[in-house]
Amino acid sequence: MRFVILAALMVTLASAFVLYSSNYDTRQLEVRVSEQERAIEKARGDIAVLKAERAHLARPERIEPLARAMGLAPASEQQLAVSPDAALSRVMATGSTTSQKRGD
Amino acid sequence: MERGASNSHVEHEAAGEVAAEPRSANGPLRTLIATVGVALFFMAIGAQLVRLALMGLGDSSISMSETVAQSFARPDIVDRNGRLLATDVEAYSLFADPARVIDRDEVIEKLALVFNDLDRTSLRKDLSDRTRRFVWVRRGLSPRVAQAVHDLGLPGLDFRRELRRAYPGGKLAGHLIGYVNIDNKGVSGIERYVDDVVGVESVQGATLAERPPVRLSIDIGVQHAVEAELQEAMKLYEAKGAAAIVMDVNSGEVLASASLPGVDPAFPNTSLEPGNLDKIAGSTFELGSVFKTLTVAMAIDAALVTPDTIVDVRKELSAGGFTIKDLHPLRRPLSVAEIFLHSSNVGAAMLAMQAGPQRFRDFLRQMQVLDPMRTEAGPIAPPQLPQRWGDIETMTIAYGHGIAVAPLQFAAAAASVVNGGRKVTPTFVKRPADSGVAVIPLIDTATSAKMRDLMRRNVAERVGTGKRAEVAGYQVGGKTGTAEMPGVGGYREKSVISSFLAAFPMDNPRYLVFVMIFEPQGTKASSGEVLASLNAAPTAGRVIGRVGPLLGILPTQAAAAGAPSVAFDARSGAKYETR
């Protein structure tokens, strides 16, 4: 009987230790989880801001003047063709027209 | 003393003898009870450990005694290609705890340095109430402004992180998107639809929504092109406003809905100014001669006439004190096709009268022009109809006067005219690729084909009023309308709404473009006239020439090759010169 009591006492102490360490680990994990959650939330917030900034920078109202300053213009129906061959032949034709205009 | 001690010892021994007997008898019982107690205690601990291991900690809740403003996390709004139109971003909101504010005057004076428009009286009143622990000072601050306030180092002020709606496109499609209130709750337009149908999440703080974005039918590229061309038209024709729709005639999806002057959803107050009202879905107008598209379609669909039927339009019509006449009468009988091409008011009125008021009215109701309509952005401004629909009303409505409808509602009816006669329900939300559109016939396919032919002729032929809308390779078809605007005591001759209803390509229409120019002036660009043929038609042509390639419409090669105007500079390899 004395052995049983002693064993029970040992088990009690061991359990208390295990419980304490589990509790401690759990708290540590909870801290890490909340840190990760905060990091995720911050990253999501940053992504949202970056997405908004990218969309703001890519808005057509801003891009169009920049594109025009580079000599570009809205695509015209003349730049569409049914096939690459048709496009190439048209480019060649217009290229020769341009050359003739320039007197090359 | 000695004796006493000895006696005491004896008594103890005697007592020990007496006590020894029950100890030996109760010892195992007590041990058993203790063992069972310890065992139960361990079992309870074990059970608790098992329970915690299996079920976790369970939900915990935190109750807050402080009153905190509720906010809403909203899903993004994107265009049909996934480009961002509206999103939530984190912002700082400044609040004060009056109980912790030491010097009210200092707080107010220093805050006024950061916020020029600070309402000092109101803030002083709020801060004077020491029973309050929470007073909003300013919400939705940028990080820079928040830092400036923080640097003031004032006690009793603090920040709360909140979600604010951001519109990266600025005024782009501003009327359609609508706006939200200070709590990030949708108030109008698509933002209201997001609240009512898609759903928003009530949050405290700055937690972003998990919901997938709301994908609109709008194409940002097309929307911008339309707005840019309308802006240019307003300058060219010195107009007070302009509006346009680009709609898929088969699915009813609206790819662009522009109304100028535009509004920025970030500044909701601007949308309430009378000049800034949405001219596409939020207002109704007498549209004038574009309405003849429906009148002629009605007459052909009812088999009252064919495009070749001759109608004598030489006499002016009189009814109820009104005289209906043509602007440029040809003084000869006209075919129905010519009535359409020359935009004869008398001819249109005669066709409507041939059908009769009831049949004409039934046809317009069938085409969804007379009943209220709504889209995801809310109800369209309801049509304004005559109180009594008699002969004179039938005649004036035949050429688009005496009835006022929202341009979007009219565009849906016009789309049905050109798409083979199928019902079109306008939508601002992209339809899933695999979702079929219910086919509900409104008019005969043959009628639709004849109307397409008439509209094409109106642009392609020299006599057509819409010839300036022609775009090489796109087979544009359409109808002009120059409607005098109603004023005090009648119509104002010089104040008109010029419009052009177009569809392309007319052999198999894919898109409808409806352009309106409000109160244009007779400028050099329009040869000093305010006619739609000289301002709205060329504007529609420019819009189609610009959005056609964006929409992937392949021009007919014969027409395109016949007018080469693209110069590719092979040496620089980068320059394109377009018309």
Side-chain angles (χ1 to χ4, degrees):
Chain A
M1 187 56 67
R2 193 168 292 172
F3 174 76
V4 172
I5 292 169
L6 202 61
L9 201 64
M10 294 298 289
V11 170
T12 306
L13 288 173
S15 297
F17 180 75
V18 168
L19 196 61
Y20 174 78
S21 76
S22 296
N23 195 11
Y24 183 78
D25 288 348
T26 305
R27 283 175 195 279
Q28 291 293 100
L29 286 171
E30 281 174 353
V31 168
R32 282 185 60 194
V33 166
S34 58
E35 278 174 1
Q36 296 294 324
E37 281 175 349
R38 274 200 301 274
I40 289 169
E41 199 175 325
K42 185 173 184 314
R44 288 187 67 203
D46 290 347
I47 290 168
V49 171
L50 289 171
K51 269 168 54 188
E53 285 182 353
R54 184 183 64 180
H56 185 65
L57 290 171
R59 67 192 190 281
E61 185 188 4
R62 174 177 172 272
I63 296 294
E64 186 179 347
L66 297 175
R68 286 189 188 276
M70 292 173 69
L72 300 173
S76 85
E77 71 283 357
Q78 307 295 328
Q79 290 169 267
L80 298 179
V82 286
S83 67
D85 289 340
L88 188 62
S89 62
R90 194 188 302 167
V91 167
M92 297 301 286
T94 52
S96 63
T97 307
T98 310
S99 299
Q100 285 169 7
K101 279 181 184 172
R102 286 179 179 159
D104 290 347
Chain B
M1 193 72 186
E2 178 73 24
R3 190 178 168 189
S6 172
N7 286 343
S8 173
H9 179 70
V10 171
E11 283 170 11
H12 274 268
E13 277 188 349
E17 282 170 11
V18 172
E21 189 61 32
R23 187 193 295 163
S24 59
N26 295 336
L29 182 62
R30 282 209 294 265
T31 307
L32 187 65
I33 290 170
T35 306
V36 170
V38 169
L40 286 173
F41 180 66
F42 276 112
M43 283 172 68
I45 291 174
Q48 176 71 349
L49 284 173
V50 169
R51 193 185 70 82
L52 288 174
L54 291 178
M55 302 179 67
L57 290 170
D59 294 331
S60 58
S61 62
I62 301 171
S63 62
M64 301 177 76
S65 58
E66 181 188 346
T67 304
V68 179
Q70 193 180 42
S71 187
F72 296 91
R74 315 176 61 75
D76 290 348
I77 299 174
V78 298
D79 84 335
R80 63 186 300 111
N81 300 314
R83 295 175 70 183
L84 196 64
L85 284 164
T87 188
D88 280 349
V89 293
E90 190 180 305
Y92 297 92
S93 290
L94 178 66
F95 69 93
D97 180 351
R100 287 174 50 219
V101 171
I102 298 168
D103 185 341
R104 279 196 305 275
D105 292 332
E106 184 195 16
V107 167
I108 293 166
E109 292 308 317
K110 284 192 172 177
L111 282 179
L113 296 175
V114 180
F115 306 117
N116 296 327
D117 57 341
L118 187 75
D119 185 347
R120 300 178 189 215
T121 312
S122 171
L123 185 58
R124 180 170 281 108
K125 188 180 169 191
D126 287 339
L127 294 182
S128 301
D129 187 355
R130 297 277 177 176
T131 59
R132 295 178 68 180
R133 300 299 309 271
F134 189 91
V135 174
W136 281 125
V137 177
R138 190 62 64 98
R139 295 171 76 177
L141 304 179
S142 68
R144 188 179 58 79
V145 176
Q147 186 63 46
V149 174
H150 185 265
D151 291 344
L152 295 174
L154 296 169
L157 297 182
D158 206 347
F159 295 96
R160 186 178 293 283
R161 285 161 59 241
E162 284 194 306
L163 293 176
R164 303 291 291 170
R165 203 64 164 160
Y167 302 96
K171 289 184 176 179
L172 194 77
H175 284 106
L176 171 63
I177 293 171
Y179 55 91
V180 299
N181 66 12
I182 192 74
D183 293 327
N184 226 25
K185 189 168 176 57
V187 174
S188 76
I190 291 296
E191 291 286 23
R192 178 74 178 266
Y193 164 78
V194 170
D195 277 66
D196 294 346
V197 179
V198 180
V200 294
E201 292 155 27
S202 175
V203 293
Q204 286 170 342
T207 307
L208 292 163
E210 301 276 356
R211 295 172 191 274
V214 177
R215 192 173 287 257
L216 300 187
S217 59
I218 295 292
D219 182 316
I220 282 182
V222 176
Q223 178 75 27
H224 168 72
V226 170
E227 289 187 8
E229 290 300 337
L230 290 183
Q231 200 76 54
E232 186 64 23
M234 281 178 67
K235 279 186 202 161
L236 272 179
Y237 311 119
E238 297 173 8
K240 289 188 176 174
I245 310 165
V246 179
M247 180 191 282
D248 185 321
V249 299
N250 296 309
S251 67
E253 290 177 314
V254 177
L255 286 101
S257 171
S259 175
L260 301 184
V263 296
D264 189 334
F267 302 97
N269 291 341
T270 58
S271 64
L272 300 175
E273 292 169 18
N276 292 350
L277 290 178
D278 180 16
K279 298 176 180 66
I280 294 296
S283 313
T284 59
F285 304 100
E286 294 186 32
L287 295 172
S289 295
V290 287
F291 223 78
K292 289 171 188 161
T293 310
L294 298 180
T295 307
V296 174
M298 179 273 303
I300 293 175
D301 197 55
L304 299 174
V305 295
T306 70
D308 299 325
T309 304
I310 301 296
V311 181
D312 189 352
V313 297
R314 287 174 293 183
K315 283 186 183 174
E316 296 177 352
L317 297 177
S318 298
F322 287 92
T323 303
I324 297 169
K325 56 187 178 183
D326 289 335
L327 193 61
H328 302 293
L330 292 179
R331 306 190 191 291
R332 64 174 173 82
L334 300 178
S335 68
V336 170
E338 286 175 316
I339 287 173
F340 189 80
L341 298 184
H342 294 286
S343 199
S344 166
N345 291 343
V346 175
M350 290 180 72
L351 291 177
M353 285 306 294
Q354 194 175 344
Q358 188 60 47
R359 190 188 253 182
F360 187 39
R361 191 175 181 172
D362 290 346
F363 178 82
L364 293 180
R365 173 152 288 128
Q366 178 185 325
M367 298 300 284
Q368 311 179 84
V369 176
L370 302 187
D371 296 318
M373 180 182 272
R374 64 176 299 131
T375 65
E376 297 84 1
I380 296 175
Q384 291 176 280
L385 312 176
Q387 291 182 337
R388 178 188 164 277
W389 194 308
D391 287 352
I392 183 66
E393 289 79 15
T394 300
M395 286 190 269
T396 59
I397 288 171
Y399 58 89
H401 283 278
I403 184 172
V405 298
L408 180 60
Q409 189 160 3
F410 173 74
S416 297
V417 170
V418 298
N419 74 356
R422 300 185 306 275
K423 181 179 178 179
V424 171
T425 304
T427 177
F428 290 111
V429 175
K430 188 180 182 187
R431 294 188 193 279
D434 55 349
S435 74
V437 178
V439 177
I440 302 171
L442 297 184
I443 60 171
D444 196 67
T445 51
T447 303
S448 178
K450 286 170 186 162
M451 289 307 301
R452 289 201 298 270
D453 181 55
L454 287 179
M455 290 172 74
R456 175 62 188 144
R457 286 174 61 188
N458 197 32
V459 173
E461 292 187 5
R462 193 178 58 81
V463 297
T465 54
K467 61 187 176 189
R468 288 177 181 82
E470 176 71 329
V471 181
Y474 276 146
Q475 297 189 68
V476 180
K479 179 74 189 80
T480 51
T482 308
E484 292 173 4
M485 296 176 75
V488 180
Y491 287 93
R492 295 183 288 164
E493 198 176 325
K494 291 294 177 188
S495 296
V496 301
I497 300 173
S498 296
S499 57
F500 192 75
L501 171 71
F504 71 102
M506 281 317 263
D507 56 347
N508 181 22
R510 294 271 308 278
Y511 297 102
L512 175 143
V513 176
F514 185 35
V515 170
M516 304 173 76
I517 300 176
F518 293 81
E519 299 191 57
Q521 305 300 309
T523 63
K524 190 179 173 187
S526 58
S527 307
E529 299 283 350
V530 294
L531 297 171
S533 57
L534 296 168
N535 49 41
T539 303
R542 285 192 291 271
V543 167
I544 292 169
R546 194 158 164 185
V547 304
L550 293 176
L551 295 169
I553 301 290
L554 204 59
T556 52
Q557 295 303 298
S565 58
V566 180
F568 174 65
D569 189 333
R571 284 180 296 188
S572 70
K575 291 205 171 185
Y576 292 85
E577 294 169 9
T578 56
R579 53 200 174 95

